[in-house]
């Protein structure tokens, strides 16, 4: 198998720290089969959501860059600002550990 995507690798490393990763397949309504292929090919086992039209209208259409990442605390509150563009595993680790 090819190298794990960085978020999957981080998810496996920090999973016991009450931290979770959830993917949102922003183009999933049109490319769900492609998203499923990627998830299976790379062994991604954190939850991935294929949004419905309401979620697309309320959240995804407001996203200005792909990928966009957000940190959410255990009360469902967004921590800080959305993170635009690619972030390395090390960058995500630093952001998570800085907010635990």
């Amino acid at each position: 198998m090819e190298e794990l995507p960085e978020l999957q690798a981080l998810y496996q490393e920090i999973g016991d720290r009450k931290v979770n990763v959830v993917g949102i397949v922003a183009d999933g309504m049109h490319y769900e089969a492609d998203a499923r292929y990627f998830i299976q090919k790379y062994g991604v086992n954190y939850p991935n959501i294929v949004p419905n039209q309401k979620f697309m209208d309320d959240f995804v259409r407001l996203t200005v860059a792909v990928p966009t990442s957000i940190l959410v605390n255990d009360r469902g509150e967004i921590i800080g600002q959305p993170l635009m563009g690619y972030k390395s595993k090390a960058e995500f680790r630093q952001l998570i550990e800085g907010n635990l």
Side-chain angles (χ1 to χ4, degrees):
M1 177 178 268
E2 296 179 36
E3 184 176 329
L4 288 175
E6 292 198 46
L7 274 179
Q8 177 62 37
L10 181 62
Y11 176 70
Q12 289 176 310
E13 291 172 18
I14 64 172
D16 61 341
R17 297 189 60 198
K18 296 187 179 183
V19 173
N20 203 354
V21 173
V22 176
I24 299 171
V25 184
D27 57 359
M29 292 180 68
H30 304 288
Y31 299 101
E32 185 173 352
D34 293 340
R36 289 184 189 281
Y37 172 78
F38 177 87
I39 289 166
Q40 290 176 345
K41 178 179 178 179
Y42 292 103
V44 173
N45 64 0
Y46 55 81
N48 279 269
I49 299 168
V50 176
N52 62 17
Q53 190 61 52
K54 178 164 177 30
F55 189 85
M56 293 290 290
D57 293 342
D58 292 348
F59 180 76
V60 175
R61 75 175 176 82
L62 302 175
T63 302
V64 297
V66 175
T68 295
S69 303
I70 56 173
L71 299 177
V72 179
N73 67 18
D74 59 351
R75 294 179 302 281
E77 301 163 337
I78 294 175
I79 301 169
Q81 297 298 313
L83 309 168
M84 306 296 178
Y86 171 81
K87 302 290 181 241
S88 70
K89 182 171 72 168
E91 289 172 300
F92 272 119
R93 179 181 295 284
Q94 183 177 16
L95 287 165
I96 291 166
E97 290 178 355
N99 285 288
L100 281 179

